[in-house]
Amino acid sequence: MSFLRALLGAARSARHAPRLAEGLTPDDDVLLDAPDGRLAPALVAAALGDPEPAAKLLATTRDAGEWEDRDRYVGRLATFAYSRGEWLARWREAAPGDLDALLVSAQLAVRRAWESPARAERLRELDPLLRPLTEGAGRDPVPWRLALDHARGAHAGHAVFEGLWEQALLRSPHHYGCHVAALKYLSAQWYGSDRAAFDFAEQAADDAAPDSLVRALPVRAAYEALRPLPGAGRPAAAGSAGPADAGADGAVPAGARIDRAADRGRALSARFAAGDPWPAEVRNLLAYVLVERGRWEDALAEFGRTGPYATSFPWAVGGHDPLRRFLATRDRTRAELARRTPLSGRARGISGRGGPRGR
């Protein structure tokens, strides 16, 4: 019987897989972590040792209160400086009191401390570096997001973390990066539980504007729930019941909350045009969750909406080659959907490729 199913699946794949590729960006055209039109010139200049465009870019986002863009740019500039830091050293030397240069440097230092086997100790050593940033932050929530990430890795207690969270909210009540940092702290991976993470994410999503990325925060909670706990196995086979599906004390089963989170993410994704780079990471994460839940048709639609924009997160987690994993998972999704489509049926192409641009 299994042999017959294998033959039938192969026949279905041969018939339907080519049609299911329609609407997907060709493999060779997919870009990993492509910078937007403002960041790209700053990275090019940094590669040539010139920090001035990066300095102007961060100053512009600070003055205009573009906190989501600012947070992304700080992260990307720190990532670039991780392997090519001469431009950042030149910036710090030319303007030792520049808080934007200090912010990028602190983001880089926190990343390196996170990679250390003595993570908590290394992070605690960075307290003197972070304190001037939060003290001089003004309306800027990004230093507080960094402080939240730092506190989680340094094993800060709940009272300390809550104090940082309150300060972040005073700056920007719906800042996506700060909400992600808080959700990580509340997750079962760290100091909370799946239920706590979902409760927080769902409430934050309910309170956010219709086109805010915080609307997709439950997708991040779903991702955390699908991950194996440190030192323990928590399998989440696609579409199957398991620990991620088990309820407790009459609560909604985690599997149901994961699917509900995915549906909320799909609703947000549909508000943006296909191939829009702004929600690219949210769409990549949503596609990952949909694949993990075995929702092949929805996952393929989301891969279509990502257009050419693959992101390192979540595909690089675990040391994988992110672009290769993105493409392999997209191919697997197409093959699984084709295998499940009857020979006499018609495979549905990519839908949901429209939608208004929003922030």
Side-chain angles (χ1 to χ4, degrees):
M1 199 66 178
S2 60
F3 179 65
L4 179 59
R5 282 198 298 268
L7 289 178
L8 195 57
R12 289 172 173 176
S13 294
R15 175 176 175 82
H16 298 305
R19 183 179 298 277
L20 290 171
E22 295 175 3
L24 296 176
T25 300
D27 288 5
D28 290 344
D29 294 335
V30 175
L31 307 171
L32 181 67
D33 297 331
D36 65 18
R38 294 203 292 175
L39 178 60
L43 292 177
V44 171
L48 299 174
D50 181 7
E52 185 174 353
K56 289 181 177 179
L57 176 61
L58 292 186
T60 298
T61 59
R62 183 184 64 248
D63 294 343
E66 297 172 330
W67 306 130
E68 301 291 0
D69 282 332
R70 178 173 173 80
D71 202 6
R72 291 187 182 193
Y73 295 155
V74 167
R76 291 296 303 276
L77 288 167
T79 296
F80 189 79
Y82 183 83
S83 56
R84 303 182 67 174
E86 300 84 359
W87 64 276
L88 181 57
R90 185 173 298 176
W91 185 6
R92 292 289 306 278
E93 182 179 350
D98 191 312
L99 288 180
D100 288 342
L102 181 59
L103 181 58
V104 176
S105 298
Q107 178 72 65
L108 176 59
V110 167
R111 172 178 172 174
R112 286 178 168 154
W114 267 90
E115 295 174 351
S116 169
R119 174 195 298 160
E121 181 180 348
R122 287 283 308 279
L123 284 168
R124 293 187 193 108
E125 293 171 356
L126 297 180
D127 284 345
L129 180 63
L130 295 177
R131 195 171 299 115
L133 286 172
T134 53
E135 291 174 351
R139 299 178 301 123
D140 185 3
V142 180
W144 294 99
R145 189 273 303 155
L146 183 58
L148 289 167
D149 285 337
H150 168 267
R152 174 168 51 92
H155 301 313
H158 292 336
V160 172
F161 198 89
E162 287 175 7
L164 296 172
W165 172 244
E166 289 172 1
Q167 291 297 321
L169 288 181
L170 288 174
R171 272 78 186 171
S172 181
H174 304 293
H175 184 257
Y176 180 67
C178 288
H179 278 77
V180 169
L183 185 145
K184 289 179 180 178
Y185 188 92
L186 292 170
S187 74
Q189 301 288 329
W190 287 92
Y191 309 109
S193 65
D194 290 343
R195 185 187 299 182
F198 273 116
D199 288 348
F200 171 78
E202 289 167 358
Q203 184 61 61
D206 288 343
D207 294 341
D211 59 356
S212 168
L213 295 184
V214 175
R215 285 277 185 170
L217 198 64
V219 180
R220 186 64 184 245
Y223 168 78
E224 297 294 340
L226 287 165
R227 295 176 63 196
L229 290 174
R234 182 165 63 174
S240 65
D245 293 271
D249 302 326
V252 177
R257 297 188 87 168
I258 290 171
D259 286 330
R260 189 166 64 193
D263 290 337
R264 296 181 74 148
R266 291 174 62 226
L268 175 68
S269 179
R271 295 184 64 87
F272 299 90
D276 187 336
W278 175 251
E281 185 175 277
V282 165
R283 282 172 164 165
N284 277 250
L285 182 62
L286 176 56
Y288 175 95
V289 169
L290 289 166
V291 167
E292 289 296 300
R293 294 300 293 165
R295 295 175 55 173
W296 306 112
E297 186 171 347
D298 293 338
L300 189 66
E302 208 53 45
F303 277 119
R305 285 177 175 154
T306 63
Y309 298 110
T311 57
S312 289
F313 179 78
W315 311 110
V317 174
H320 297 278
D321 179 320
L323 183 56
R324 179 177 297 179
R325 191 179 182 198
F326 171 90
L327 296 174
T329 306
R330 194 177 68 165
D331 286 345
R332 177 192 169 203
T333 301
R334 185 163 56 93
E336 291 287 352
L337 184 55
R339 191 166 63 84
R340 286 163 170 75
T341 304
L343 284 171
S344 59
R346 179 178 177 83
R348 297 172 61 181
I350 301 297
S351 60
R353 295 187 62 78
R357 176 73 162 90
R359 287 284 173 99

